[in-house]
Amino acid sequence: MRNKITIVGAGFVGATAAHWCAAKELGDVVLFDIVDGMPQGKALDLLQAGPVEGYDLHILGTNDYKDTANSDIVVVTAGLPRKPGMTREDLVNVNAKIIRGVIENVVAHSPKAIVILVTNPLDTMTYLAKKVSGLPRERIIGQAGILDSARMRAFISMELDVSVENIHAFVLGGHGDEMVPLARYSTVAGIPITELLSPERIEAIMDRTRKGGGEIVSLLKQGSAFFAPSAATMQMVEAILKDRKMILPCSVYLEGEYGLDDICFGVPVKLGRQGVEQIIQIELTDDEQAAMNKSAALIRSSMAALEL
Ligand code: TXD
């Protein structure tokens, strides 16, 4: 049996995710959007790259949820991106309406799917999706931490002129300007960056990481980042479908872990075929825990706008 991956929202992130998905032959792809013809056109175009690139998959574009039935994984990217000067939280009202409708349809057609949220404000939309869907927390997961950690890895690589492959970084907490890059757990070939860089340079890297999405929004002037966000999302899809048991930072519903309850928040988890197979609790210093609490407070302020 081939895996079936539905991507809801065929915009920049959704279409690019479909591209990674095809290139890695992760499974058959259904690209769904409400815009008439657009997902069909993009799907056909992607399908026609197959003979050149050497992938062999079914790729379907649609405006009908029936075509998404019985997906193994559904990636939700539907919703507005931010404009220059906006925070992710500014999107809460408009995107909450979209996510509510999307999730109801997704779950009705693919009750056994693992659902990955990408739409911003990410942690708040993951929380909304968890509540609307009634899915167990193992199967409703938000993507943010892999992207934020990848940005930090890229900045450390640029600073030290070392391959990104040697660099590991952990960014936890909410996907907002109060995200929590953890310098102590960020390493170059196993050596913590705290032993390689001055506190000032580390702070500059962490600051650029926190503002990494905004930096791209200001450069683009319309729309937001999509190559790295879609690549990060596909790493989750691959870890799940191939049952890789990868430890990755993802937004999940917490029930007391890290001292937080009834919130979706970025923490390290183990991803495998069942979805979130374990929530990893790492030791935090008082300062790091305080930063997590501050980040959670920002998410709770946008959660207050949800009518649940
Ligand atoms: O790391 C992360 N989580 C993120 C999140 C990184 C980058 C972007 N992030 C967020 O993803 C961004 O703030 C947005 O909320 C989403 C999607 O961003 P994208 O750049 O792909 O936006 P587009 O290009 O505008 O695409 C959104 C598509 C567009 O084609 C709409 O027609 C469609 O969503 N859309 C819908 N599809 C299905 N169903 C409904 N109701 C719907 N409404 C809009």
Side-chain angles (χ1 to χ4, degrees), residues 11-13 33 35 38 77-81 95 118-120 143 147 225 229:
F12 280 100
V13 177
D33 205 286
V35 178
M38 184 269 271
T77 76
L80 265 57
N95 283 351
V118 181
T119 306
N120 274 323
Q143 188 298 118
L147 169 67

Side-chain angles (χ1 to χ4, degrees), residues 103-118:
I103 292 297
E104 282 166 1
N105 277 298
V106 161
V107 175
H109 289 85
S110 298
K112 294 188 182 153
I114 294 171
V115 181
I116 299 177
L117 268 292
V118 181

Side-chain angles (χ1 to χ4, degrees), residues 7-279:
I7 299 171
V8 180
F12 280 100
V13 177
T16 317
H19 177 219
W20 296 119
C21 202
K24 293 183 173 194
E25 282 199 319
L26 294 180
D28 292 334
V29 182
V30 177
L31 198 53
F32 176 98
D33 205 286
I34 47 168
V35 178
D36 182 33
M38 184 269 271
Q40 291 86 344
K42 290 188 181 180
L44 202 53
D45 189 16
L46 191 57
L47 186 76
Q48 291 165 359
V52 182
E53 284 297 310
Y55 54 77
D56 185 4
L57 304 162
H58 299 299
I59 303 174
L60 178 78
T62 184
N63 309 114
D64 187 341
Y65 274 103
K66 281 199 199 102
D67 293 320
T68 72
N70 301 318
S71 296
D72 295 283
I73 297 210
V74 179
V75 173
V76 179
T77 76
L80 265 57
R82 57 188 166 142
K83 298 194 173 79
M86 282 174 94
T87 68
R88 296 177 179 90
E89 288 68 31
D90 291 335
L91 297 166
V92 68
N93 289 321
V94 54
N95 283 351
K97 281 199 191 76
I98 294 173
I99 292 304
R100 195 179 276 275
V102 165
I103 292 297
E104 282 166 1
N105 277 298
V106 161
V107 175
H109 289 85
S110 298
K112 294 188 182 153
I114 294 171
V115 181
I116 299 177
L117 268 292
V118 181
T119 306
N120 274 323
L122 186 273
D123 306 277
T124 306
M125 292 303 107
T126 309
Y127 180 83
L128 174 65
K130 164 91 181 75
K131 295 289 170 180
V132 170
S133 66
L135 288 180
R137 66 173 177 166
E138 294 74 22
R139 289 204 279 130
I140 191 126
I141 322 167
Q143 188 298 118
I146 301 173
L147 169 67
D148 298 328
S149 304
R151 285 182 172 145
M152 186 162 166
R153 289 170 67 187
F155 296 145
I156 295 168
S157 158
M158 286 153 72
E159 178 83 16
L160 291 172
D161 194 23
V162 171
S163 163
V164 282
E165 281 182 35
N166 282 141
I167 298 168
H168 177 268
F170 248 148
V171 181
L172 303 185
H175 185 52
D177 293 345
E178 300 288 354
M179 66 181 72
V180 186
L182 292 177
R184 280 188 321 126
Y185 287 106
S186 299
T187 57
V188 179
I191 306 161
I193 58 166
T194 44
E195 292 178 25
L196 299 171
L197 290 165
S198 68
E200 294 73 32
R201 289 314 302 154
I202 291 175
E203 186 45 48
I205 287 170
M206 295 200 303
D207 189 55
R208 193 170 177 195
T209 300
R210 284 188 209 99
K211 297 175 182 155
E215 181 179 359
I216 292 175
V217 170
S218 327
L219 288 167
L220 293 177
K221 301 190 184 63
Q222 51 183 343
S224 55
F226 54 97
F227 287 118
S230 56
T233 307
M234 280 307 128
Q235 186 171 45
M236 291 172 68
V237 171
E238 186 169 10
I240 292 167
L241 291 178
K242 294 188 177 170
D243 196 22
R244 293 191 64 194
K245 319 282 187 201
M246 274 187 95
I247 313 283
L248 295 165
C250 299
S251 183
V252 288
Y253 184 79
L254 297 183
E255 294 169 337
E257 295 87 358
Y258 291 89
L260 297 166
D261 190 42
D262 195 33
I263 187 170
C264 286
F265 203 60
V267 296
V269 302
K270 188 196 279 181
L271 287 188
R273 196 62 190 83
Q274 305 306 314
V276 173
E277 298 188 353
Q278 192 185 342
I279 294 178

